[in-house]
Amino acid sequence: MVTIRAENEEATKKVARKLANYLEAGDVVLLEGNLGAGKTTFTKGLAEGLGIQRVIKSPTYTIIREYTDGRLPLYHMDVYRLEETGGDELGLEEYFQGEGVSVVEWATFIPEDLPKDYLQVKLVPAGTDLAEREISLSAVGRRYEALLEAFAKSNNQA
């Protein structure tokens, strides 16, 4: 596990921008955190790191937003509204196995639809400033263990 303290929204995006350098097609990133924890801010940083120029919006009502104008497509999912129904009808596996990076907010609501390997990013408010947060990254599976190891080494050199 790698834990980084980000003192504001820009620092949160900076961590995500760095992480984007290590992402490949088919990677899955699960974002955990309460409302307002910075999940969409983190996704904005990932998008910037992937070279996506479009405005990143939370997909709360659309469930999935696709951004295809970067180094890799970004599939931003907010599955909060699937708590009762699950994601069977959405074809999530096509995204997870596709040509882009899938970022899933509220993944705990669709455990049976998730791939067995992924990178988990947990965002927790820290300190007195609402924008200050602790970002914990943990790997499930060899691909993500290697990714996290490379990311941690570069982060220690920064």
Side-chain angles (χ1 to χ4, degrees):
M1 180 184 312
V2 173
T3 301
I4 301 166
R5 193 173 186 100
E7 60 277 356
N8 55 39
E9 285 189 6
E10 184 53 40
T12 297
K13 289 197 290 188
K14 182 179 178 184
V15 171
R17 279 193 302 270
K18 281 180 118 175
L19 179 63
N21 293 320
Y22 300 92
L23 296 175
E24 298 175 358
D27 280 346
V28 177
V29 179
L30 307 183
L31 298 181
E32 266 191 44
N34 293 332
L35 289 170
K39 295 180 297 293
T40 299
T41 298
F42 191 87
T43 304
K44 288 177 182 179
L46 281 177
E48 290 172 9
L50 292 172
I52 295 169
Q53 303 295 314
R54 293 177 46 207
V55 174
I56 304 300
K57 298 178 188 174
S58 176
T60 301
Y61 297 103
T62 58
I63 300 177
I64 301 171
R65 289 189 186 268
E66 297 182 20
Y67 304 92
T68 58
D69 59 331
R71 174 177 69 83
L72 293 168
L74 175 67
Y75 310 125
H76 185 194
M77 307 170 193
D78 183 334
V79 297
Y80 183 82
R81 296 177 64 220
L82 301 179
E83 180 179 15
E84 302 293 323
T85 61
D88 291 343
E89 306 297 316
L90 295 176
L92 296 176
E93 64 281 346
E94 292 177 29
Y95 286 101
F96 297 150
Q97 298 169 10
E99 296 300 314
V101 174
S102 297
V103 175
V104 185
E105 297 185 26
W106 302 102
T108 55
F109 292 139
I110 58 162
E112 64 284 345
D113 297 308
L114 296 172
K116 63 180 179 66
D117 296 343
Y118 51 82
L119 181 68
Q120 185 170 49
V121 178
K122 188 171 188 176
L123 298 117
V124 178
T128 55
D129 184 345
L130 293 177
E132 191 173 350
R133 55 191 52 96
E134 190 171 273
I135 304 168
S136 298
L137 299 93
S138 54
V140 176
R142 287 188 177 156
R143 155 78 188 125
Y144 299 100
E145 289 168 1
L147 180 155
L148 195 53
E149 185 178 328
F151 174 76
K153 282 181 184 176
S154 75
N155 213 44
N156 288 335
Q157 295 171 358

